[in-house]
Amino acid sequence: MDLSTHQPAGGTVYRISAPVIANRSLPGGHRRIRLRAPAIARTARPGQFVNISPPLATTLLRRPLGVHRTIDGQDIEILFQSVGKGTKALGAVGEGDEIDLIGPLGNGFDLAGEPPETAVLVAGGFGLAPLYPLAAALEGKVDRTYLFAGTEEDLPMETSDSSVHLSFVDPDIKATVPEFEAVGAQCRLASLRSRPSFHKGLVTELVEKLLDGPEPLGRTKLYACGPWGMLKKTAAIAAEHELDCDVLLEERMGCGVGACMSCSVMVYGDGGRPVYARACVEGPVFDAASVVWDAK
Ligand SMILES: Cc1cc2nc3c(=O)[nH]c(=O)nc-3n(C[C@H](O)[C@H](O)[C@H](O)COP(=O)(O)OP(=O)(O)OC[C@H]3O[C@@H](n4cnc5c(N)ncnc54)[C@H](O)[C@@H]3O)c2cc1C
Ligand code: FES
């Protein structure tokens, strides 16, 4: 049921009471919840998010969660980790319960214009979830997509060993995410501790191996979502290789609609002067070259 709408620059935003269609538990305290929200399913772009009111008003503020998938123009799926009060309450909802949510919010990834020949997606932890709709949207538009994900815990999506050999990593590094492979992305995973089939080290080392390796890449663009340090390193690699790079900043948010400034990040404004931008309205996706990485 659409409760109300408003129309900011990024498109119509809906407030919806969305029935829960399914709520599935995944390893590592993750959950995948499917909600009936046709207005959002029809309009959400990759990288946009919904601001959810946890059931029974468990928290005063809503919680922002990326739109992980849209299904048949009817439903949206969110994929999240239960880390605190809000996400734990959300994880406890049952089929048929209604969730109050606002969205789609934020700018999302800019997919207008000429696509790159190679898209390299870089994820840290639950940064994987919002990159999935991007990989799906890029399928058929780019020549090749790579997804590199780093994590010390269970990932929010199933993993397995890939049968595809990638020339820039050792043959025993073969952990992959089948859901991303199903939308045409070649994947490899990284962890700082020894894990079978994972690259041992930083996820950004996989990016460097690809960029410095023998695979033909052509015009390449990086897209990243994850912790600040990982994003900063990805931005530095992009700058060093003179590549475009978009970063999705999952800043802590208050209102989610531009009113409270709690999600402010420092970016270079006109003439290179540092200014604050709101991750919920001007973001959450920013050109990595515009972010003042040392401001945190
Ligand atoms: C645009 C956007 C998209 C997001 N998409 C997803 C998603 O698809 N899946 C998902 O699992 N999470 C996502 N998040 C993070 C999610 O919003 C937080 O995990 C959630 O708000 C935590 O609420 P809580 O009440 O459960 O925890 P709280 O009690 O508020 O916090 C519990 C712990 O989580 C940490 N935390 C809270 N928010 C964040 C954050 N933004 N980044 C890092 N740590 C945080 C806190 O510091 C604290 O340690 C997204 C955030 C943003 C801004
Ligand atoms: S969360 Fe309030 S301005 Fe962004």
Side-chain angles (χ1 to χ4, degrees):
M1 181 194 6
D2 292 1
L3 298 178
S4 60
T5 63
H6 80 277
Q7 177 98 45
T12 304
V13 172
Y14 302 87
R15 182 173 174 205
I16 290 177
S17 182
V20 176
I21 305 299
N23 176 1
R24 196 150 66 85
S25 160
L26 302 168
H30 293 99
R31 300 202 80 89
R32 191 187 279 263
I33 294 188
R34 179 169 172 171
L35 300 162
R36 175 101 345 131
I40 296 178
R42 281 196 296 269
T43 55
R45 297 190 303 272
Q48 288 192 296
F49 63 97
V50 288
N51 217 9
I52 290 186
S53 183
L56 304 174
T58 322
T59 59
L60 180 65
L61 297 174
R62 290 170 180 270
R63 295 295 188 255
L65 292 167
V67 177
H68 173 61
R69 282 209 303 162
T70 59
I71 305 159
D72 300 335
Q74 281 288 307
D75 295 348
I76 62 167
E77 238 180 32
I78 51 173
L79 184 55
F80 64 95
Q81 190 171 28
S82 298
V83 291
K85 226 173 160 184
T87 46
K88 281 183 185 145
L90 186 60
V93 294
E95 219 174 291
D97 289 351
E98 300 223 341
I99 302 286
D100 180 336
L101 55 87
I102 296 175
L105 294 169
N107 57 356
F109 290 100
D110 182 6
L111 297 176
E114 203 187 342
E117 290 165 271
T118 300
V120 183
L121 280 49
V122 192
F126 55 56
L128 194 61
L131 290 181
Y132 172 79
L134 174 66
L138 290 172
E139 190 181 18
K141 293 201 175 76
V142 298
D143 294 342
R144 57 198 81 76
T145 300
Y146 292 95
L147 177 271
F148 301 124
T151 182
E152 302 314 308
E153 307 166 25
D154 286 322
L155 280 172
M157 296 165 92
E158 270 177 36
T159 63
S160 67
D161 280 352
S162 175
S163 54
V164 178
H165 172 65
L166 297 180
S167 61
F168 57 95
V169 283
D170 292 339
D172 56 331
I173 309 299
K174 52 192 176 192
T176 187
V177 185
E179 203 170 330
F180 273 88
E181 284 200 336
V183 291
Q186 297 297 340
C187 314
R188 287 298 180 267
L189 307 181
S191 170
L192 292 175
R193 59 189 169 88
S194 287
R195 293 174 77 174
S197 303
F198 278 55
H199 166 73
K200 185 169 186 286
L202 298 170
V203 64
T204 47
E205 290 165 7
L206 289 170
V207 181
E208 288 171 311
K209 280 175 187 287
L210 171 71
L211 297 179
D212 298 336
E215 304 270 326
L217 299 177
R219 212 162 13 82
T220 300
K221 179 165 179 174
L222 309 185
Y223 304 85
C225 181
W228 191 263
M230 187 211 86
L231 296 177
K232 182 178 174 181
K233 178 69 186 168
T234 307
I237 293 170
E240 190 189 325
H241 289 78
E242 298 182 355
L243 302 177
D244 286 340
C245 176
D246 280 352
V247 289
L248 192 158
L249 302 180
E250 290 188 337
E251 291 302 297
R252 301 239 31 199
M253 291 184 178
C255 66
V257 291
C260 72
M261 301 302 285
S262 67
C263 62
S264 298
V265 286
M266 201 178 270
V267 297
Y268 297 106
D270 290 344
R273 193 172 50 92
V275 293
Y276 281 109
R278 296 160 299 175
C280 66
V281 177
E282 284 85 40
V285 179
F286 292 90
D287 178 348
S290 75
V291 177
V292 183
W293 292 104
D294 290 329
K296 275 199 182 180

